[in-house]
Amino acid sequence: MFEKIKILLVFCSLNRIFVGKFINRHIKMRKYLMAAIVLLGMASCSEKKFHVEGNITNAKDSMLYFENVGLENINVLDSVKLGDDGAFAFAQPQNEAPEFYRLRIADQIINVSIDSTETVTIKAQYPQMATQYEVSGSDDCAKIKELTLKQIDLQNRAIAISQNDALSIDESNDSILKMISDYKQDVKNNYILKEPNRSYSYFALFQAIGNMLIFNPRSNKDDIKVFAAVATSWDTYHPNSERGANLHNIAIEGMKNVRITEANAAKRIDVSKISTTGLIDIALYDNKGQLRHLTDLKGKVVLLDFHLFGLENSPERILLLRELYNKYQAQGLEIYQVALDADEHFWKQQTAALPWICVRDPQGMDSETLITYNIQGLPEYFLITRDNSLYKRSGQVKDIEAEIKSLL
């Protein structure tokens, strides 16, 4: 960067010598050329920029990348090979609204937000730069650091619980979901709703644990309200910003999904229509394009699972099902999973590696199957005996693993 500036200054000096000689030879044009040079100089000097600078020690000869985290892509804006002291300095044109960037060495990342022409200073030590760094010059960046450390702690605690052999699968799942719920309340009340117009509040909306967004804008009514609050605030403080418009689109789509779900939940049928001694067949295409009949699984104990892969707890639920399947599939357990996701491509991506039967109902949340099985909310499951009879639904099951073992 400094070399580029030096070259530019030399280039400008040479130009001034050349222009001076040219003006001496063309005295009549002097007035106009000088005016043009002054205007060009003012234009180049008046460009407003922000700066991100500092030191990352213990990283000699490492490539430090400065990247823009856009709505769709992450783009490298600049880079530098670090020296002995790890010093770096990046500058980019000012944005009209807050924007997000990151410093990266390999897989170690520091997230920053830039508002206007501020200078953000970061000091860190590799290879712990993602968690052990100091930031100054920006309150938003300091808050982003706090949120990042909180999210890492949440993920570590969730991993510890999932690896605790003293807990059953259900106990582990319940503990993790409770922990996530507490985290959401803390971040919502103490960060997002406290200053929804700030960029750290926007950052908090898109935190994730594993591949799951902590705040679910697709189907969680309370979380959608949080997205909407930030969207409204950004409209006020950052009008016409692309990120504000994106938040609005996400919130509107989530509200639409909730209305559809609530409309379907209002439908009622007589529970007696679901026989406990027989089975209503389901025939849908799986993720490999093969038509699969539920009744073809006679002779196996079947877990009939109705699922939305877009739900916030989908990864934990899939993990639970995978553990059950791995333990009992050889003894005669089969899973017949009905997905209600509207996006077929998304569904195929999510199910490509699943070992059990996963079909998709193209009717989505308007599926007649949901009405037939009297399903009021998702996810939902049923246990089916080897003779093709409905045994129990989720509300009647206290320990799913024990119930499956009793049927095998």
Side-chain angles (χ1 to χ4, degrees):
M1 181 65 71
F2 292 126
E3 291 176 356
K4 291 180 181 178
I5 294 172
K6 196 178 295 181
I7 291 169
L8 179 61
L9 289 172
V10 171
F11 178 78
C12 290
S13 298
L14 290 173
N15 267 325
R16 283 196 294 271
I17 294 169
F18 175 80
V19 170
K21 291 179 178 179
F22 183 84
I23 290 172
N24 288 333
R25 291 197 303 268
H26 300 79
I27 198 70
K28 292 182 179 179
M29 296 295 295
R30 177 171 179 170
K31 185 186 303 181
Y32 304 106
L33 285 171
M34 288 300 294
I37 291 170
V38 170
L39 288 173
L40 286 170
M42 289 176 62
S44 62
C45 294
S46 64
E47 183 181 25
K48 295 182 179 180
K49 294 186 176 183
F50 67 84
H51 301 266
V52 179
E53 58 191 31
N55 300 79
I56 298 179
T57 57
N58 260 12
K60 183 182 178 182
D61 295 331
S62 297
M63 288 300 298
L64 174 65
Y65 295 93
F66 185 59
E67 300 172 329
N68 173 230
V69 184
L71 289 175
E72 296 183 1
N73 300 300
I74 297 176
N75 300 308
V76 176
L77 301 178
D78 204 347
S79 62
V80 64
K81 188 174 183 179
L82 296 177
D84 290 328
D85 61 355
F88 65 90
F90 298 118
Q92 291 291 321
Q94 174 191 7
N95 296 299
E96 293 183 1
E99 190 52 71
F100 295 88
Y101 302 88
R102 68 184 197 179
L103 296 168
R104 179 177 65 83
I105 299 178
D107 60 350
Q108 288 287 300
I109 293 169
I110 296 175
N111 289 295
V112 296
S113 171
I114 300 296
D115 186 4
S116 189
T117 56
E118 60 194 343
T119 295
V120 177
T121 302
I122 291 174
K123 295 182 179 180
Q125 184 174 349
Y126 191 76
Q128 296 85 24
M129 60 180 270
T131 56
Q132 299 177 20
Y133 68 92
E134 298 177 6
V135 58
S136 59
S138 169
D139 182 57
D140 277 291
C141 290
K143 294 289 187 183
I144 285 174
K145 177 187 176 183
E146 288 180 23
L147 288 162
T148 298
L149 295 179
K150 280 177 171 287
Q151 182 269 331
I152 291 172
D153 175 66
L154 172 67
Q155 185 156 302
N156 289 339
R157 287 186 289 129
I159 291 171
I161 289 174
S162 67
Q163 294 176 345
N164 187 345
D165 294 334
L167 298 175
S168 69
I169 294 173
D170 284 342
E171 288 172 335
S172 174
N173 197 39
D174 289 344
S175 296
I176 291 173
L177 291 177
K178 173 66 166 58
M179 211 161 53
I180 292 173
S181 178
D182 291 342
Y183 181 89
K184 286 168 65 173
Q185 284 299 113
D186 173 27
V187 172
K188 179 174 71 173
N189 295 329
N190 297 317
Y191 292 87
I192 299 176
L193 298 184
K194 193 173 182 179
E195 292 183 296
N197 61 300
R198 301 291 291 272
S199 56
Y200 72 79
S201 295
Y202 183 104
F203 176 85
L205 291 177
F206 295 96
Q207 285 193 294
I209 179 169
N211 62 349
M212 176 195 76
L213 283 177
I214 295 173
F215 288 91
N216 172 23
R218 304 186 81 171
S219 55
N220 185 303
K221 196 171 183 178
D222 290 334
D223 291 355
I224 292 167
K225 290 179 181 177
V226 177
F227 268 78
V230 178
T232 301
S233 186
W234 274 55
D235 271 352
T236 302
Y237 289 90
H238 316 297
N240 303 317
S241 72
E242 188 178 8
R243 291 186 181 274
N246 183 57
L247 285 178
H248 259 303
N249 292 337
I250 291 172
I252 290 170
E253 185 65 26
M255 291 174 186
K256 178 182 175 182
N257 291 340
V258 167
R259 284 195 296 270
I260 292 172
T261 302
E262 290 177 344
N264 279 288
K267 297 176 182 177
R268 296 288 187 272
I269 65 168
D270 188 343
V271 180
S272 64
K273 289 185 179 180
I274 302 177
S275 171
T276 58
T277 57
L279 187 68
I280 302 171
D281 190 27
I282 299 174
L284 293 167
Y285 288 93
D286 66 14
N287 50 8
K288 297 177 179 62
Q290 181 180 351
L291 183 65
R292 308 300 293 263
H293 285 267
L294 176 61
T295 51
D296 286 346
L297 300 177
K298 187 173 182 178
K300 293 181 177 288
V301 172
V302 179
L303 193 159
L304 171 60
D305 186 63
F306 292 88
H307 189 70
L308 258 175
F309 283 89
L311 289 174
E312 64 177 339
N313 63 342
S314 176
E316 288 92 341
R317 185 174 180 77
I318 294 302
L319 178 62
L320 167 65
L321 293 178
R322 188 179 285 274
E323 290 182 17
L324 290 171
Y325 190 83
N326 290 343
K327 288 177 73 172
Y328 299 108
Q329 186 267 338
Q331 299 176 45
L333 173 68
E334 186 55 78
I335 296 175
Y336 187 98
Q337 188 169 49
V338 181
L340 286 307
D341 295 87
D343 188 334
E344 183 177 6
H345 178 69
F346 170 76
W347 165 69
K348 285 185 176 180
Q349 284 186 320
Q350 296 296 309
T351 60
L354 297 184
W356 55 79
I357 297 169
C358 187
V359 299
R360 173 178 167 270
D361 193 328
Q363 292 181 315
M365 297 306 297
D366 294 324
S367 169
E368 292 296 321
T369 305
L370 294 181
I371 301 173
T372 301
Y373 276 82
N374 194 27
I375 293 173
Q376 307 301 321
L378 293 176
E380 177 63 286
Y381 70 85
F382 297 81
L383 290 177
I384 300 170
T385 63
R386 292 183 186 271
D387 63 355
N388 259 5
S389 294
L390 283 177
Y391 174 62
K392 288 182 179 179
R393 67 188 301 156
S394 64
Q396 301 168 301
V397 177
K398 292 184 178 179
D399 187 332
I400 187 172
E401 191 170 1
E403 293 284 8
I404 289 173
K405 288 169 68 175
S406 72
L407 294 175
L408 290 171

